[in-house]
């Protein structure tokens, strides 16, 4: 089970002290016509709530699988907080991934031309929240390690079922 202490420890190790929502995600895929899997764990700091999303798709690249769970987490968070009064005008979202490409696209160091529909969806959330994207080495912390295991397991289960 993931704890708030693990999220706080990860934020500390990344040198990020100010965040409201942290999302740690991973994806597993190969090529576009093969199954892909994903997993994310998110932590809403003001309420000390932890959420998880996990699943697979019948087809999708690894890059698609790396980005998708961030959108699922943001959709769920936004949906669950409709009408909520926040103490801050704009919430700070910390996105953590072991995908250098996802992080560099998130930070707009690279263009967002691949998976444009997903990046367009993320742009909506960027109009409401402030984002910080951080890269971590694969399996470098307990949350990322769990995300790696679960995303791969989801892909394999879907691959066996098809």
């Amino acid at each position: 089970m993931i704890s708030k202490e693990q999220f706080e420890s990860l934020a500390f190790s990344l040198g990020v002290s100010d965040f409201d929502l942290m999302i740690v995600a991973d994806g597993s895929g190969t090529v576009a016509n093969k199954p892909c899997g994903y997993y994310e764990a998110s932590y809403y700091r003001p309420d000390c709530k932890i959420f998880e999303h996990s699943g697979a798709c019948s087809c999708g690249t690894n890059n698609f699988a790396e980005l998708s769970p961030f959108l699922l987490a943001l959709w769920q968070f936004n949906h669950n907080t409709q009408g909520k009064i926040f103490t801050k005008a704009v919430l700070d979202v910390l996105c953590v991934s072991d995908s250098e490409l996802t992080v560099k696209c998130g930070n707009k160091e690279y263009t967002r031309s691949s998976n444009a529909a997903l990046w367009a969806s993320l742009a909506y959330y960027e109009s409401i929240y402030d984002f910080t994207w951080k890269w971590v080495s694969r399996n470098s912390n307990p949350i990322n390690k769990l995300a790696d295991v679960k995303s791969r397991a989801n892909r394999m289960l879907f691959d066996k079922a098809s």
Side-chain angles (χ1 to χ4, degrees), residues 15-134:
V16 178
S17 59
D18 191 25
F19 71 91
D20 300 297
L21 176 66
M22 179 192 289
I23 305 167
V24 181
D26 199 11
S28 176
T30 54
V31 294
N33 63 342
K34 297 283 187 182
C36 65
Y38 54 83
Y39 171 87
E40 73 78 24
S42 51
Y43 169 56
Y44 181 53
R45 187 186 243 174
D47 291 348
C48 293
K49 289 191 177 178
I50 296 171
F51 303 93
E52 297 175 83
H53 293 96
S54 185
C57 297
S58 60
C59 59
T61 63
N62 190 64
N63 292 337
F64 174 88
E66 293 281 357
L67 182 56
S68 294
F70 288 102
L71 289 170
L72 292 170
L74 290 162
W75 180 88
Q76 180 266 328
F77 177 77
N78 197 51
H79 177 75
N80 286 346
T81 57
Q82 289 293 319
K84 182 173 181 169
I85 306 296
F86 296 108
T87 56
K88 294 171 68 174
V90 177
L91 297 181
D92 295 306
V93 178
L94 173 58
C95 296
V96 180
S97 175
D98 66 3
S99 167
E100 186 177 358
L101 178 63
T102 300
V103 170
K104 288 193 175 206
C105 287
N107 286 326
K108 299 179 182 168
E109 294 173 55
Y110 291 171
T111 62
R112 296 173 169 184
S113 52
S114 294
N115 299 304
L118 297 180
W119 286 111
S121 297
L122 186 80
Y124 165 76
Y125 294 107
E126 289 175 324
S127 72
I128 328 174
Y129 309 124
D130 280 339
F131 283 80
T132 300
W133 290 82
K134 291 287 187 172

Side-chain angles (χ1 to χ4, degrees), residues 28 37-38 54-56 146-160:
S28 176
Y38 54 83
S54 185
L146 177 66
D148 181 67
V149 168
K150 288 199 173 195
S151 65
R152 186 176 307 117
N154 288 337
R155 176 176 58 90
M156 297 300 204
L157 282 172
F158 204 100
D159 199 23
K160 289 178 184 174

